[in-house]
Coordinates of all heavy atoms in Angstrom, one line a residue:
M30 N 68.9 -42.6 -26.9 CA 69.0 -41.2 -26.4 C 67.8 -40.4 -26.8 O 67.3 -40.5 -27.9 CB 70.3 -40.6 -27.0 CG 70.6 -39.2 -26.5 SD 72.2 -38.6 -27.1 CE 72.1 -36.9 -26.4
I31 N 67.4 -39.5 -25.9 CA 66.2 -38.7 -26.1 C 66.6 -37.5 -27.0 O 67.5 -36.8 -26.7 CB 65.6 -38.2 -24.8 CG1 65.2 -39.4 -24.0 CG2 64.4 -37.3 -25.1 CD1 64.7 -39.1 -22.6
G32 N 65.9 -37.3 -28.1 CA 66.1 -36.2 -29.0 C 65.6 -34.9 -28.5 O 64.9 -34.9 -27.5
G33 N 65.8 -33.9 -29.2 CA 65.3 -32.6 -28.8 C 63.9 -32.3 -29.2 O 63.2 -31.5 -28.6
E34 N 63.4 -32.9 -30.3 CA 62.1 -32.6 -30.8 C 61.0 -32.8 -29.8 O 60.2 -31.9 -29.6 CB 61.8 -33.5 -32.0 CG 62.6 -33.0 -33.3 CD 62.2 -31.5 -33.6 OE1 61.1 -31.2 -33.5 OE2 63.1 -30.8 -34.0
P35 N 60.9 -33.9 -29.1 CA 59.8 -34.1 -28.1 C 59.9 -33.0 -27.0 O 58.9 -32.6 -26.5 CB 60.1 -35.5 -27.5 CG 60.9 -36.2 -28.6 CD 61.7 -35.2 -29.2
L36 N 61.1 -32.7 -26.6 CA 61.3 -31.7 -25.6 C 60.7 -30.3 -26.0 O 60.0 -29.7 -25.3 CB 62.7 -31.5 -25.2 CG 63.1 -30.5 -24.1 CD1 62.4 -30.9 -22.8 CD2 64.6 -30.4 -23.9
I37 N 61.1 -29.9 -27.2 CA 60.6 -28.6 -27.7 C 59.1 -28.7 -27.9 O 58.4 -27.7 -27.7 CB 61.4 -28.2 -29.0 CG1 61.2 -26.7 -29.2 CG2 61.0 -29.0 -30.2 CD1 61.8 -25.8 -28.2
D38 N 58.6 -29.8 -28.4 CA 57.2 -29.9 -28.6 C 56.5 -29.7 -27.2 O 55.5 -29.0 -27.1 CB 56.8 -31.3 -29.1 CG 57.1 -31.4 -30.6 OD1 57.4 -30.3 -31.2 OD2 57.1 -32.5 -31.2
L39 N 57.0 -30.4 -26.2 CA 56.4 -30.3 -24.9 C 56.5 -28.8 -24.4 O 55.5 -28.3 -23.9 CB 57.2 -31.2 -23.9 CG 56.7 -31.2 -22.5 CD1 55.3 -32.0 -22.5 CD2 57.6 -32.0 -21.6
L40 N 57.6 -28.2 -24.6 CA 57.9 -26.9 -24.1 C 56.8 -25.9 -24.8 O 56.2 -25.1 -24.1 CB 59.3 -26.4 -24.5 CG 59.7 -25.0 -24.2 CD1 59.9 -24.9 -22.7 CD2 60.9 -24.6 -24.9
L41 N 56.7 -26.0 -26.1 CA 55.8 -25.2 -26.8 C 54.3 -25.5 -26.4 O 53.5 -24.5 -26.3 CB 55.9 -25.3 -28.3 CG 57.3 -24.8 -28.8 CD1 57.4 -25.1 -30.3 CD2 57.5 -23.3 -28.5
A42 N 54.0 -26.7 -26.2 CA 52.6 -27.1 -25.9 C 52.3 -26.7 -24.4 O 51.2 -26.2 -24.2 CB 52.5 -28.6 -26.1
E43 N 53.2 -26.9 -23.5 CA 52.9 -26.7 -22.1 C 52.9 -25.2 -21.7 O 52.2 -24.8 -20.8 CB 54.0 -27.4 -21.2 CG 53.9 -28.9 -21.3 CD 52.7 -29.4 -20.6 OE1 52.3 -28.9 -19.5 OE2 52.0 -30.3 -21.2
T44 N 53.6 -24.4 -22.5 CA 53.6 -23.0 -22.2 C 53.2 -22.2 -23.4 O 53.8 -21.2 -23.8 CB 55.1 -22.6 -21.7 OG1 56.0 -22.9 -22.8 CG2 55.5 -23.3 -20.5
H45 N 52.1 -22.6 -23.9 CA 51.7 -22.0 -25.2 C 51.1 -20.6 -25.0 O 51.3 -19.8 -25.9 CB 50.6 -22.9 -25.8 CG 50.0 -22.4 -27.1 ND1 50.8 -22.4 -28.3 CD2 48.9 -21.8 -27.4 CE1 50.0 -21.9 -29.2 NE2 48.9 -21.5 -28.7
T46 N 50.5 -20.3 -23.9 CA 49.7 -19.1 -23.9 C 50.5 -17.9 -23.4 O 51.0 -17.9 -22.2 CB 48.5 -19.3 -22.9 OG1 47.8 -20.4 -23.3 CG2 47.6 -18.1 -23.0
C47 N 50.5 -16.9 -24.2 CA 51.1 -15.6 -23.7 C 50.1 -14.9 -22.8 O 48.9 -14.9 -23.0 CB 51.3 -14.7 -25.0 SG 51.8 -13.0 -24.6
Y48 N 50.7 -14.4 -21.7 CA 49.8 -13.8 -20.7 C 49.0 -12.6 -21.3 O 47.9 -12.3 -20.9 CB 50.6 -13.2 -19.6 CG 51.1 -14.3 -18.6 CD1 50.9 -15.6 -18.9 CD2 51.8 -13.9 -17.4 CE1 51.4 -16.6 -18.0 CE2 52.2 -14.9 -16.6 CZ 52.1 -16.2 -16.9 OH 52.5 -17.2 -16.0
L49 N 49.6 -12.0 -22.3 CA 48.9 -10.9 -22.9 C 48.1 -11.3 -24.2 O 47.5 -10.4 -24.8 CB 49.9 -9.8 -23.4 CG 50.8 -9.3 -22.2 CD1 51.8 -8.2 -22.8 CD2 50.0 -8.7 -21.1
G50 N 48.1 -12.6 -24.5 CA 47.4 -13.1 -25.6 C 47.9 -12.6 -26.9 O 47.2 -12.5 -27.9
D51 N 49.2 -12.3 -26.9 CA 49.9 -11.8 -28.1 C 50.1 -12.9 -29.1 O 50.9 -13.8 -28.8 CB 51.2 -11.1 -27.8 CG 51.8 -10.4 -29.0 OD1 51.6 -10.8 -30.1 OD2 52.5 -9.4 -28.7
C52 N 49.5 -12.9 -30.3 CA 49.7 -13.9 -31.2 C 50.1 -13.3 -32.6 O 49.9 -13.9 -33.6 CB 48.5 -14.9 -31.4 SG 46.9 -14.0 -31.7
E53 N 50.7 -12.1 -32.5 CA 51.1 -11.4 -33.7 C 52.6 -11.5 -33.9 O 53.1 -11.5 -35.0 CB 50.7 -10.0 -33.7 CG 49.2 -9.8 -33.8 CD 48.8 -8.3 -33.7 OE1 49.7 -7.5 -33.8 OE2 47.6 -8.0 -33.5
H54 N 53.3 -11.6 -32.8 CA 54.8 -11.6 -32.9 C 55.3 -13.0 -32.9 O 55.1 -13.8 -31.9 CB 55.4 -10.8 -31.7 CG 55.0 -9.4 -31.7 ND1 53.9 -8.9 -30.9 CD2 55.4 -8.3 -32.4 CE1 53.8 -7.6 -31.2 NE2 54.7 -7.2 -32.0
R55 N 55.9 -13.4 -34.0 CA 56.4 -14.8 -34.1 C 57.9 -14.8 -33.7 O 58.7 -14.0 -34.2 CB 56.3 -15.2 -35.5 CG 56.8 -16.7 -35.8 CD 55.8 -17.7 -35.2 NE 56.1 -19.0 -35.8 CZ 56.9 -19.9 -35.2 NH1 57.5 -19.6 -34.1 NH2 57.0 -21.1 -35.8
H56 N 58.2 -15.7 -32.7 CA 59.6 -15.9 -32.3 C 60.0 -17.4 -32.7 O 59.1 -18.1 -33.1 CB 59.7 -15.7 -30.8 CG 59.2 -14.4 -30.3 ND1 60.1 -13.3 -30.3 CD2 58.0 -13.9 -30.0 CE1 59.4 -12.2 -29.8 NE2 58.1 -12.6 -29.7
D57 N 61.2 -17.7 -32.5 CA 61.7 -19.0 -32.7 C 60.9 -20.0 -31.9 O 60.7 -21.2 -32.2 CB 63.2 -19.2 -32.5 CG 64.0 -18.5 -33.5 OD1 63.4 -18.2 -34.6 OD2 65.2 -18.2 -33.3
W58 N 60.5 -19.6 -30.7 CA 59.8 -20.4 -29.7 C 58.3 -20.3 -29.8 O 57.6 -21.0 -29.0 CB 60.3 -20.1 -28.3 CG 60.5 -18.6 -28.1 CD1 61.7 -17.9 -28.2 CD2 59.5 -17.7 -27.7 NE1 61.4 -16.6 -27.9 CE2 60.1 -16.4 -27.6 CE3 58.1 -17.8 -27.5 CZ2 59.4 -15.3 -27.3 CZ3 57.4 -16.6 -27.1 CH2 58.1 -15.4 -27.0
G59 N 57.8 -19.6 -30.7 CA 56.4 -19.5 -30.8 C 55.9 -18.0 -30.9 O 56.7 -17.1 -31.0
F60 N 54.6 -17.9 -30.7 CA 54.0 -16.6 -30.7 C 53.9 -16.0 -29.3 O 53.7 -16.7 -28.4 CB 52.6 -16.7 -31.3 CG 52.5 -16.9 -32.8 CD1 52.3 -18.2 -33.3 CD2 52.7 -15.9 -33.6 CE1 52.3 -18.4 -34.6 CE2 52.7 -16.1 -35.0 CZ 52.5 -17.4 -35.5
G61 N 54.0 -14.7 -29.2 CA 53.9 -14.0 -27.9 C 54.6 -12.7 -27.9 O 55.3 -12.3 -28.8
C62 N 54.3 -12.0 -26.8 CA 54.9 -10.6 -26.7 C 56.4 -10.7 -26.5 O 57.1 -9.8 -26.8 CB 54.2 -9.9 -25.6 SG 54.5 -10.6 -23.9
G63 N 56.9 -11.8 -25.8 CA 58.3 -11.9 -25.6 C 58.7 -11.3 -24.3 O 59.9 -11.3 -23.9
E64 N 57.8 -10.7 -23.5 CA 58.2 -10.0 -22.3 C 57.5 -10.5 -21.1 O 57.9 -10.2 -20.0 CB 57.9 -8.5 -22.5 CG 58.8 -8.0 -23.6 CD 58.8 -6.5 -23.7 OE1 58.2 -5.8 -22.8 OE2 59.5 -5.9 -24.5
C65 N 56.3 -11.1 -21.2 CA 55.6 -11.6 -20.1 C 56.3 -12.9 -19.5 O 57.1 -13.5 -20.3 CB 54.1 -11.8 -20.4 SG 53.8 -13.3 -21.3
P66 N 56.0 -13.3 -18.3 CA 56.6 -14.5 -17.7 C 56.5 -15.7 -18.6 O 57.4 -16.5 -18.7 CB 55.9 -14.6 -16.4 CG 55.5 -13.2 -16.0 CD 55.2 -12.5 -17.3
A67 N 55.3 -15.9 -19.2 CA 55.1 -17.1 -20.0 C 56.0 -17.1 -21.2 O 56.6 -18.1 -21.6 CB 53.6 -17.2 -20.5
C68 N 56.1 -15.9 -21.9 CA 57.0 -15.8 -23.0 C 58.4 -15.9 -22.7 O 59.2 -16.6 -23.4 CB 56.7 -14.5 -23.7 SG 55.1 -14.4 -24.6
R69 N 58.8 -15.3 -21.6 CA 60.2 -15.4 -21.2 C 60.6 -16.8 -20.8 O 61.7 -17.3 -21.1 CB 60.4 -14.4 -20.0 CG 60.4 -13.0 -20.5 CD 60.4 -12.0 -19.3 NE 61.6 -12.0 -18.7 CZ 62.1 -10.9 -17.9 NH1 61.3 -9.9 -17.8 NH2 63.2 -10.9 -17.4
L70 N 59.7 -17.5 -20.2 CA 59.9 -18.9 -19.8 C 60.1 -19.7 -21.1 O 61.1 -20.6 -21.2 CB 58.7 -19.5 -19.1 CG 58.9 -20.9 -18.5 CD1 59.9 -20.8 -17.3 CD2 57.5 -21.4 -18.0
R71 N 59.3 -19.5 -22.1 CA 59.5 -20.2 -23.3 C 60.8 -19.8 -24.0 O 61.5 -20.7 -24.5 CB 58.3 -19.9 -24.3 CG 57.1 -20.8 -24.0 CD 56.1 -20.6 -25.1 NE 55.6 -19.2 -25.1 CZ 54.8 -18.8 -26.1 NH1 54.4 -19.5 -27.0 NH2 54.4 -17.5 -26.0
A72 N 61.1 -18.6 -24.1 CA 62.3 -18.1 -24.7 C 63.5 -18.7 -24.0 O 64.5 -19.1 -24.7 CB 62.4 -16.6 -24.7
E73 N 63.5 -18.7 -22.7 CA 64.6 -19.2 -21.9 C 64.7 -20.7 -22.2 O 65.8 -21.2 -22.4 CB 64.3 -19.0 -20.5 CG 65.5 -19.0 -19.6 CD 65.2 -18.6 -18.2 OE1 64.9 -17.4 -18.0 OE2 65.3 -19.5 -17.3
G74 N 63.6 -21.4 -22.2 CA 63.7 -22.9 -22.4 C 64.1 -23.2 -23.8 O 64.9 -24.1 -24.0
F75 N 63.7 -22.4 -24.7 CA 64.1 -22.6 -26.1 C 65.6 -22.4 -26.2 O 66.3 -23.1 -26.9 CB 63.4 -21.7 -27.0 CG 63.7 -22.0 -28.5 CD1 63.0 -23.0 -29.1 CD2 64.6 -21.2 -29.2 CE1 63.3 -23.3 -30.5 CE2 64.9 -21.5 -30.5 CZ 64.2 -22.5 -31.2
A76 N 66.1 -21.3 -25.6 CA 67.6 -21.0 -25.7 C 68.4 -22.1 -25.1 O 69.4 -22.5 -25.6 CB 67.8 -19.7 -25.0
K77 N 67.9 -22.7 -24.0 CA 68.6 -23.8 -23.3 C 68.6 -25.0 -24.2 O 69.6 -25.7 -24.4 CB 68.0 -24.1 -22.0 CG 68.4 -23.1 -20.9 CD 67.7 -23.5 -19.6 CE 68.0 -22.5 -18.5 NZ 67.2 -22.8 -17.3
W78 N 67.4 -25.2 -24.8 CA 67.3 -26.4 -25.7 C 68.2 -26.3 -26.9 O 68.9 -27.2 -27.3 CB 65.8 -26.5 -26.2 CG 65.6 -27.5 -27.2 CD1 65.6 -28.9 -27.1 CD2 65.5 -27.2 -28.6 NE1 65.4 -29.5 -28.3 CE2 65.3 -28.5 -29.3 CE3 65.4 -26.1 -29.4 CZ2 65.1 -28.6 -30.6 CZ3 65.2 -26.2 -30.8 CH2 65.1 -27.5 -31.4
Q79 N 68.3 -25.0 -27.4 CA 69.2 -24.8 -28.6 C 70.7 -25.0 -28.2 O 71.4 -25.6 -28.9 CB 69.0 -23.4 -29.1 CG 68.0 -23.3 -30.2 CD 68.1 -21.9 -30.9 OE1 68.4 -20.9 -30.3 NE2 67.8 -22.0 -32.2
A80 N 71.0 -24.5 -27.0 CA 72.4 -24.5 -26.6 C 72.8 -26.0 -26.3 O 74.0 -26.3 -26.5 CB 72.6 -23.7 -25.3
A81 N 71.8 -26.8 -25.9 CA 72.1 -28.2 -25.6 C 72.1 -29.1 -26.8 O 72.5 -30.2 -26.7 CB 71.1 -28.7 -24.5
S82 N 71.6 -28.6 -27.9 CA 71.4 -29.5 -29.0 C 72.6 -29.3 -30.1 O 73.4 -28.4 -29.9 CB 70.1 -29.3 -29.7 OG 70.0 -27.9 -30.2
Ligands
ZN29 ZN1 53.7 -12.9 -23.7

């Protein structure tokens, strides 16, 4: 069975960049403003990953 770790690693690696370049605000899913599309995608993906694990 595929574990959650590789998925979250991929998620964070693939969508690493905040559109606003915010690297001051730390979230469970990484750094970012939390409001731009890139951050929301990550937050959403992380929430789904958490809910599924
Ligand atoms: Zn952002």
Side-chain angles (χ1 to χ4, degrees):
M30 183 173 177
I31 298 173
E34 285 301 321
L36 180 62
I37 196 66
D38 283 349
L39 182 71
L40 179 72
L41 294 177
E43 291 293 313
T44 60
H45 179 74
T46 309
C47 170
Y48 285 7
L49 303 181
D51 189 330
C52 54
E53 291 179 13
H54 299 97
R55 181 72 163 92
H56 303 269
D57 287 342
W58 40 263
F60 288 99
C62 66
E64 298 192 359
C65 76
C68 289
R69 290 171 70 156
L70 187 68
R71 273 190 299 173
E73 199 173 294
F75 185 82
K77 282 182 186 173
W78 171 77
Q79 267 195 326
S82 61

